[in-house]
Amino acid sequence: MKLYYSATSPYVRKVNVFAIETGLDEEIERIPTNPWIEEASLLSDNPLSKVPTLIMDDGSVLYDSPVICEYLDSLNSGTKLIPATGMERWDALRLQALGDGILDAAVLRFLEQKRPTSQQSHDWDSMQQSTIQRGLTYLEDTAGKWNKDITIGHITIACALGYLDFRFAEDDWRQNCPDLKNWCMEFSKRPSMQSTLPKTS
């Protein structure tokens, strides 16, 4: 398999953490990619010009991190990280959706701040901040009840919190989220998290 990736993409990090946790990491060749310049190789496989994009062994293409992780779990011969049935499945998928939603808002904030100052919208930034804060409040209220078994939901939340640290460290989300802070501190010790820390070149 081949994976188009960017070293700073939290969605790519999510897929990489998932691949490590399922033991599939060494079966994936990484192709460094800058999706912002619409590289021809990426466009030929993904018309959206987004990472992560996965090329399967038969040449078929998958994109979007939830879809790629679902595929990797289908190859996973160990404990599934996306439960197949019951409330465990829906709990994991709900956490994944919440983590992806926090990431979406954080990425939009980051992109807005890259625009010329005169073109930036304070209201737009505030709206994204509010979305992130509501997500964090929910996570703080529920973190102590999470199943100890790792799922796609936990991976996504950890990557979302890591992205907030990476791009918005000055906001210090931990200040008002002691239970979430403790959970994140323990989860971040996992080798899959340590080896996928975002890097700027």
Side-chain angles (χ1 to χ4, degrees):
M1 294 179 284
K2 297 180 180 180
L3 182 72
Y4 289 101
Y5 82 99
S6 165
T8 59
S9 167
Y11 307 101
V12 169
R13 186 185 190 194
K14 173 182 163 184
V15 168
N16 282 332
V17 171
F18 198 96
I20 293 169
E21 294 288 347
T22 54
L24 296 167
D25 184 56
E26 294 186 1
E27 297 184 29
I28 301 174
E29 175 188 345
R30 269 71 176 185
I31 305 173
T33 309
N34 183 349
W36 301 112
I37 62 174
E38 298 184 343
E39 295 184 16
S41 57
L42 176 59
L43 278 173
S44 68
D45 289 312
N46 183 346
L48 302 176
S49 188
K50 287 186 175 183
V51 293
T53 294
L54 182 76
I55 313 301
M56 295 183 284
D57 288 338
D58 67 357
S60 301
V61 181
L62 295 175
Y63 29 86
D64 200 24
S65 61
V67 177
I68 294 173
C69 288
E70 184 92 35
Y71 175 69
L72 293 178
D73 215 33
S74 75
L75 305 179
N76 173 18
S77 59
T79 301
K80 300 296 185 180
L81 302 189
I82 304 174
T85 59
M87 280 309 300
E88 286 187 354
R89 174 176 176 81
W90 305 121
D91 287 344
L93 294 180
R94 182 177 62 249
L95 268 187
Q96 175 180 218
L98 181 58
D100 281 340
I102 291 172
L103 277 177
D104 292 345
V107 169
L108 287 173
R109 277 200 75 200
F110 174 68
L111 294 177
E112 183 68 14
Q113 292 179 3
K114 289 175 68 70
R115 286 156 53 89
T117 303
S118 62
Q119 297 179 20
Q120 292 180 21
S121 168
H122 175 74
D123 289 343
W124 177 257
D125 184 72
S126 294
M127 184 171 66
Q128 306 312 323
Q129 281 185 285
S130 295
T131 297
I132 293 168
Q133 188 54 57
R134 289 194 302 271
L136 291 173
T137 298
Y138 176 87
L139 293 173
E140 173 64 16
D141 291 343
T142 58
K145 306 171 187 175
W146 292 347
N147 193 312
K148 300 301 180 184
D149 295 332
I150 181 175
T151 70
I152 183 62
H154 302 118
I155 291 172
T156 309
I157 295 301
C159 290
L161 297 176
Y163 188 74
L164 294 179
D165 288 338
F166 180 54
R167 294 299 192 193
F168 303 102
E170 68 281 1
D171 290 349
D172 191 16
W173 61 265
R174 291 171 176 78
Q175 190 171 20
N176 297 314
C177 299
D179 288 345
L180 188 59
K181 177 187 75 172
N182 291 336
W183 176 86
C184 184
M185 182 172 62
E186 287 303 312
F187 196 90
S188 295
K189 293 177 182 177
R190 300 182 74 89
S192 61
M193 293 294 292
Q194 290 293 312
S195 64
T196 57
L197 287 168
K199 300 173 184 176
T200 54
S201 55

